[in-house]
Amino acid sequence: LFARHLDDTTAYATVTARSARLAHDRHDYAQAITQGIAAANLMHGIAGHDTLTVVEALSYVSSAQLALGDYAQARATTQRCRDALLALDNPYATATAIGLAHLDYLAGDATALDRLRRAVADFDAAFRARSGQPPPTAMSGRFDLADDLIASGATASLPLARELSASLDLASYQRDTGERDWPARFAALRGRLALLDGDKARARALLEPAVAAMLAANSPRPQIERAQRALAAARAAR
């Protein structure tokens, strides 16, 4: 497309958005951000407003910004996606409430945890009402909610965290995403839960290889840091 001087077209914007996804999935977050923003800017310029292609491109940007720990930028990008989806009357606008609440909790807003819990339930219920089935993207929301509930350390949150953890389907992550570190992320989540349950030996057995694998894969920084803190606590408790 570039060689044919078609780098100002919808096709070029779409291909650039796909390239941003590939960069995101191999955890090249800087390239995902650069290409995602380029795709979004081009498509917005062509259409005159934020289209679904813009939202797609920016979804990888916000995920990459979160992975780098830049919560303020990730929130601003996610809010733009939400505004665009609302303007397009797209049902996936409800999913962005999950992302915003998760980002707010990561940024230190403890009150966002209840909002995240409600957003996950609302998103799931809305799609079940339409199709009778939970939406595929609800899995990501359940993972984020379990992740944050475990991070809270609150005893009252443990039953729901256990329920969510048990409901997660690793096979669907491996089928539906290009990221290859999900086995380590799942193991880390369950290792952190084992630590809260008082099973320090199981926590170490899960967390030690998981942390090593996540570091090697350049996994999202918040999950690495949470796993590292849990592993340090499990080791100190010997």
Side-chain angles (χ1 to χ4, degrees):
L1 289 168
F2 186 84
R4 296 183 182 188
H5 306 289
L6 296 172
D7 54 321
D8 59 351
T9 62
T10 298
Y12 193 83
T14 301
V15 169
T16 305
R18 297 293 192 277
S19 185
R21 175 177 181 171
L22 290 172
H24 170 271
D25 287 353
R26 67 175 180 267
H27 296 174
D28 184 347
Y29 298 124
Q31 185 172 353
I33 291 169
T34 297
Q35 292 186 319
I37 290 173
N41 288 343
L42 175 57
M43 194 65 225
H44 182 95
I46 293 170
H49 61 91
D50 283 350
T51 67
L52 287 178
T53 299
V54 173
V55 173
E56 177 191 1
L58 291 179
S59 70
Y60 304 119
V61 173
S62 64
S63 183
Q65 290 167 333
L66 184 159
L68 293 173
D70 191 348
Y71 304 138
Q73 284 296 325
R75 196 189 197 289
T77 305
T78 302
Q79 184 64 57
R80 179 175 169 184
C81 290
R82 178 171 176 77
D83 293 343
L85 290 170
L86 287 170
L88 294 166
D89 196 26
N90 188 291
Y92 277 89
T94 55
T96 57
I98 297 173
L100 291 171
H102 179 51
L103 283 162
D104 288 343
Y105 188 76
L106 285 169
D109 181 1
T111 66
L113 194 55
D114 285 337
R115 185 155 37 95
L116 176 58
R117 187 184 290 108
R118 290 193 301 272
V120 170
D122 290 348
F123 182 59
D124 188 80
F127 269 77
R128 283 182 187 274
R130 288 186 178 90
S131 66
Q133 299 291 329
T137 50
M139 186 71 70
S140 177
R142 288 198 293 270
F143 184 96
D144 289 343
L145 179 54
D147 191 21
D148 289 347
L149 288 169
I150 293 168
S152 77
T155 302
S157 298
L158 288 180
L160 178 56
R162 291 191 198 97
E163 178 185 334
L164 290 164
S165 179
S167 76
L168 295 171
D169 180 9
L170 176 57
S172 71
Y173 274 81
Q174 293 178 308
R175 180 181 64 248
D176 298 335
T177 77
E179 296 176 273
R180 301 302 179 195
D181 63 334
W182 280 110
R185 292 201 220 179
F186 271 51
L189 189 78
R190 288 170 177 152
R192 290 164 52 212
L193 186 55
L195 180 64
L196 290 179
D197 284 335
D199 190 344
K200 300 176 181 63
R202 174 170 167 76
R204 289 194 300 271
L206 287 165
L207 286 165
E208 285 173 353
V211 167
M214 291 166 71
L215 287 169
N218 191 32
S219 297
R221 186 179 300 170
Q223 290 174 32
I224 291 176
E225 291 175 349
R226 285 175 168 180
Q228 286 175 322
R229 287 194 293 269
L231 179 56
R235 286 171 170 168
R238 292 191 195 190

